[in-house]
Amino acid sequence: TLDDALATFAGARPDQVLCVDIKDFGFEEEHLAAVRRVGVEDRIRWVSWIPQTLVRLHELGTTAPLVLSHFNTLDLGVVGNRLCAMFGPRPLKLGRTVILGPRAVTVGLDGLERGHKHALIAAELPAEVSDVLRASRGGICVPGQLAGRRVQEYARRQGLELWCFSVMGIRAFEKHASVDGVHVVFCDDAASLEARIGRPATTGEGP
């Protein structure tokens, strides 16, 4: 359970950070209460595909940074930009995704409450979302292949951290981790990271 994970984390080194990735909407009070019960809010990062979840945590007064996962189209070129430009001020559900046009200002649920079932696709986030992320000292989390120069510049301009998901293998991990504008990299291939970390120090390579 989340309580078990938090209790284990409470005994970790003080410089370690735990990312709590929320994929459902409507339990923000319970999530925040669980974190506060064990006194680790200062070492938590709230991550979610659901803008409303992060906005609600902000309203509840969390002191932990908020990070929004989404698909950013800034580095998709002409096709991606035209795709977003086609839509007006309301989100459009297309299959399992929600496309949010550049003029959209709503953060109404409209399907987004299903989180990872309906991923948000957008170039620039609505102000009421980016303002909350920035106020929390948080950021955005996008697929590694979409974390190009324009997204890096957008994150810097907005005062947001840039996180990447989910890369495979140590080479891809190190490639993304070496980018100056990338703060956090998620890797779905833990075995390759463990093998890299486990190499003898006599190789002359870093940790």
Side-chain angles (χ1 to χ4, degrees):
T1 67
L2 177 60
D3 284 328
D4 293 329
L6 291 169
T8 300
F9 176 68
R13 297 197 320 263
D15 62 333
Q16 291 184 320
V17 171
L18 179 67
C19 297
V20 180
D21 193 352
I22 302 175
K23 298 183 184 294
D24 48 10
F25 176 74
F27 301 94
E28 294 76 25
E29 290 88 346
E30 290 86 345
H31 289 147
L32 184 55
V35 165
R36 287 177 170 173
R37 274 196 299 272
V38 293
V40 294
E41 191 174 3
D42 60 330
R43 294 192 288 141
I44 288 291
R45 302 293 183 271
W46 299 110
V47 187
S48 184
W49 289 90
I50 313 170
Q52 294 79 9
T53 285
L54 300 179
V55 170
R56 180 61 181 147
L57 284 166
H58 177 72
E59 292 171 347
L60 291 170
T62 185
T63 57
L66 305 165
V67 180
L68 176 68
S69 296
H70 74 291
F71 291 95
N72 193 295
T73 64
L74 280 174
D75 282 307
L76 288 181
V78 175
V79 174
N81 292 337
R82 286 184 178 175
L83 178 66
C84 278
M86 290 168 58
F87 307 106
R90 293 188 60 81
L92 173 71
K93 282 190 286 185
L94 186 63
R96 290 166 62 88
T97 65
V98 175
I99 300 176
L100 189 61
R103 297 185 300 280
V105 294
T106 179
V107 291
L109 290 179
D110 204 17
L112 293 176
E113 76 277 10
R114 298 185 66 184
H116 66 297
K117 298 294 185 182
H118 288 89
L120 176 65
I121 299 178
E124 300 196 5
L125 299 176
E128 59 260 56
V129 176
S130 59
D131 287 350
V132 164
L133 301 180
R134 185 167 50 251
S136 75
R137 309 174 318 283
I140 57 176
C141 187
V142 304
Q145 65 270 29
L146 297 182
R149 184 172 300 174
R150 294 186 67 192
V151 173
Q152 294 168 29
E153 292 174 353
Y154 169 71
R156 279 194 290 267
R157 190 169 65 249
Q158 292 290 321
L160 301 172
E161 288 191 350
L162 178 58
W163 295 21
C164 296
F165 73 89
S166 286
V167 304
M168 294 296 294
I170 186 63
R171 291 185 179 179
F173 176 85
E174 290 178 335
K175 173 185 174 182
H176 287 86
S178 67
V179 176
D180 184 54
V182 172
H183 295 78
V184 174
V185 180
F186 289 102
C187 181
D188 284 349
D189 185 9
S192 71
L193 300 184
E194 290 169 354
R196 176 70 172 83
I197 294 170
R199 289 180 181 175
T202 54
T203 62
E205 298 180 23

